[in-house]
Amino acid sequence: MQAITRTEFDFPGQTGKYTGKVRDVYSIGDDYLVMIATDRISAFDVVLPKGIPFKGQVLNQIASRFLDDTSDIVPNWKIASPDPVVTVGYKCKPLPVEMIVRGYLTGSSWRTYKSGARSICGCEVPDGMKEHQKFEKPLLTPTTKAEQGAHDEDISREEIISRGLVSESDYIRLEEFSLALFERGSKAAAERGLILVDTKYEFGKRGDEIYLIDEIHTPDSSRYFYSDTYKSCLIKGCSRGDYQRSLQVS
């Protein structure tokens, strides 16, 4: 079993290649992308020297399934998945924010809360909450979409609009799409004995229409808890590993 850590293709009509931490993305003309999910492993913005066989296939197939299952909520970039590690889709102009939806007080939101803050990206959080406790309703905590090698930064709804990163009308739509996607993902997770804790969504524009782009609800973009042990762990104060599977959202 050989891990796929590098690809070198020359597709008909290819006009460029972008090598991300995990994916190799080939541009075909001005309208299409071929995205290949490799077996590379990225941790804390560092690509590890060895990959894990079939990791890319798992990520691509999860994302592909959820893109199909949520296309009634928002159009997405996917056209086809001709191979387990490949998705072909539309090239969209990315919007410069990531929409992070959090259902639970964990990760960076807990660190912010523990420091004494009671507002996270403009969202008010009540006193007396415990780490990993469920919010009354999911929070939208957007970040800037940083350039390669830089870190995303928390930002509020008001700052996004005032800085002109996204128009107010488009941002309202992003909020609606993100919360609806999170609800759909949460239901799918619950059917499999999991809790979708938090996740990120990326959007772009094709013409004047907003599209969901990149991956969705994968272990690289989302955090999951085991539902059968969540309540007991919350009461006992278990370690982080007892709650959850892997994640990339910080």
Side-chain angles (χ1 to χ4, degrees), residues 59-154:
L59 290 182
N60 189 66
Q61 290 183 314
I62 290 173
S64 182
R65 170 68 180 271
F66 274 111
L67 288 171
D68 290 342
D69 289 350
T70 59
S71 61
D72 61 315
I73 296 173
V74 54
N76 64 65
W77 73 284
K78 178 188 171 184
I79 297 173
S81 183
D83 182 271
V85 301
V86 178
T87 298
V88 178
Y90 298 110
K91 182 185 290 187
C92 302
K93 182 179 180 180
L95 295 174
V97 295
E98 290 186 356
M99 301 297 287
I100 297 177
V101 185
R102 300 181 184 276
Y104 294 74
L105 183 60
T106 193
S108 63
S109 63
W110 167 249
R111 293 192 293 273
T112 299
Y113 187 87
K114 190 178 179 182
S115 73
R118 292 298 179 266
S119 178
I120 303 173
C121 296
C123 299
E124 299 303 317
V125 183
D127 287 324
M129 290 191 69
K130 297 171 61 176
E131 184 178 12
H132 308 310
Q133 185 175 341
K134 185 177 182 180
F135 293 119
E136 184 176 343
K137 60 181 181 179
L139 301 187
L140 269 168
T141 60
T143 67
T144 57
K145 180 61 177 170
E147 298 295 327
Q148 186 176 9
H151 292 285
D152 299 339
E153 296 181 359
D154 289 345

Side-chain angles (χ1 to χ4, degrees), residues 7-243:
T7 69
E8 292 292 344
F9 290 104
D10 185 10
F11 295 109
Q14 182 174 317
T15 53
K17 177 190 176 186
Y18 168 75
T19 301
K21 292 190 287 285
V22 173
R23 291 167 177 79
D24 292 345
V25 184
Y26 296 83
S27 296
I28 311 298
D30 296 326
D31 299 316
Y32 304 103
L33 296 175
V34 176
M35 185 179 289
I36 301 175
T38 73
D39 295 329
R40 295 193 295 266
I41 303 297
S42 171
F44 301 103
D45 294 327
V46 175
V47 178
L48 303 184
K50 293 184 179 180
I52 297 177
F54 301 112
K55 184 251 190 182
Q57 176 176 330
V58 170
L59 290 182
N60 189 66
Q61 290 183 314
I62 290 173
S64 182
R65 170 68 180 271
F66 274 111
L67 288 171
D68 290 342
D69 289 350
T70 59
S71 61
D72 61 315
I73 296 173
V74 54
N76 64 65
W77 73 284
K78 178 188 171 184
I79 297 173
S81 183
D83 182 271
V85 301
V86 178
T87 298
V88 178
Y90 298 110
K91 182 185 290 187
C92 302
K93 182 179 180 180
L95 295 174
V97 295
E98 290 186 356
M99 301 297 287
I100 297 177
V101 185
R102 300 181 184 276
Y104 294 74
L105 183 60
T106 193
S108 63
S109 63
W110 167 249
R111 293 192 293 273
T112 299
Y113 187 87
K114 190 178 179 182
S115 73
R118 292 298 179 266
S119 178
I120 303 173
C121 296
C123 299
E124 299 303 317
V125 183
D127 287 324
M129 290 191 69
K130 297 171 61 176
E131 184 178 12
H132 308 310
Q133 185 175 341
K134 185 177 182 180
F135 293 119
E136 184 176 343
K137 60 181 181 179
L139 301 187
L140 269 168
T141 60
T143 67
T144 57
K145 180 61 177 170
E147 298 295 327
Q148 186 176 9
H151 292 285
D152 299 339
E153 296 181 359
D154 289 345
I155 189 170
S156 69
R157 179 186 197 270
E158 292 72 23
E159 289 176 299
I160 289 171
I161 295 170
S162 66
R163 287 168 55 179
L165 298 177
V166 179
S167 70
E168 183 172 9
S169 59
D170 280 348
Y171 189 80
I172 290 171
R173 295 290 284 158
L174 296 185
E175 288 184 323
E176 293 171 350
F177 290 146
S178 298
L179 292 173
L181 291 167
F182 189 77
E183 182 179 4
R184 182 72 56 84
S186 296
K187 289 180 179 179
E191 292 170 357
R192 292 158 178 80
L194 298 172
I195 296 171
L196 178 59
V197 179
D198 49 34
T199 192
K200 71 179 179 71
Y201 302 111
E202 297 187 45
F203 297 91
K205 276 197 158 183
R206 185 169 176 251
D208 294 327
E209 190 167 13
I210 295 174
Y211 274 60
L212 176 65
I213 61 174
D214 201 47
E215 61 185 328
I216 173 176
H217 297 158
T218 72
D220 266 13
S221 65
S222 311
R223 184 183 342 239
Y224 290 93
F225 288 164
Y226 294 107
S227 58
D228 60 347
T229 55
Y230 168 72
K231 289 184 179 179
S232 62
C233 280
L234 188 66
I235 293 170
K236 296 176 184 177
C238 297
S239 67
R240 180 174 175 178
D242 291 326
Y243 279 97

